[in-house]
Amino acid sequence: MRSFIASMIVLSSLCCSLHAQQLDPNSSPKRVIYATTEQQPEFPGGLPKLKEYIQQNLHYPPAAQKAMKEGTVFLHFIVSEQGALEDVHVRMPINPDLDAEALRLIKTMPKWTPGKIAGKPVACRYNLPIKFAL
């Protein structure tokens, strides 16, 4: 039984924009990574299934729970052309235990539907905040 409410906030991603496509600052001629795409990457089943996945798979770390640590961990990662999640990093750390759990959660996610430009799958940077609340 969980004694906490774990929820996520999907604010927006750099990939959500319908404006002109922009390259990610880490893009290179060897690996093109977009910051914006025409069609954003998507968790299988969309946002409702992403929320469900997070609620079912996020485990509040006992040490953080005992210390009454709360907050939002901001992560970013690349959704590859094949939908694999790569280069997962914490952008705004809040607590080592919460950061580690958010990273674990993202790294265990199934493949996503990749972002697309002109109907072609492309690698895209995605930002996702994970909220921990007691």
Side-chain angles (χ1 to χ4, degrees):
M1 180 172 170
R2 295 182 181 178
S3 62
F4 66 93
I5 298 173
S7 65
M8 56 132 251
I9 304 169
V10 178
L11 300 172
S12 66
S13 82
L14 290 177
C15 300
C16 289
S17 177
L18 294 177
H19 304 291
Q21 294 77 46
Q22 297 177 2
L23 292 179
D24 184 82
N26 295 325
S27 186
S28 71
K30 291 182 181 182
R31 177 83 191 273
V32 177
I33 303 167
Y34 288 89
T36 59
T37 57
E38 293 171 357
Q39 183 179 343
Q40 70 179 13
E42 185 176 62
F43 185 85
L47 288 178
K49 289 294 183 179
L50 176 59
K51 289 178 185 179
E52 183 180 310
Y53 179 88
I54 291 172
Q55 289 173 344
Q56 291 177 354
N57 294 283
L58 185 68
H59 305 290
Y60 216 115
Q65 191 173 6
K66 185 177 179 181
M68 304 293 289
K69 297 294 182 182
E70 295 182 302
T72 303
V73 179
F74 291 88
L75 302 121
H76 66 155
F77 50 90
I78 295 169
V79 179
S80 76
E81 299 88 335
Q82 295 79 31
L85 304 186
E86 304 171 349
D87 195 30
V88 183
H89 287 88
V90 174
R91 287 188 70 192
M92 300 175 73
I94 59 169
N95 170 275
D97 294 326
L98 298 180
D99 298 343
E101 175 56 17
L103 280 170
R104 182 203 65 78
L105 179 73
I106 300 302
K107 290 179 178 181
T108 60
M109 284 185 173
K111 286 188 175 185
W112 287 36
T113 302
K116 294 181 181 176
I117 295 177
K120 181 180 176 186
V122 295
C124 184
R125 176 77 56 192
Y126 197 92
N127 293 308
L128 184 67
I130 304 292
K131 184 174 182 175
F132 291 85
L134 295 171

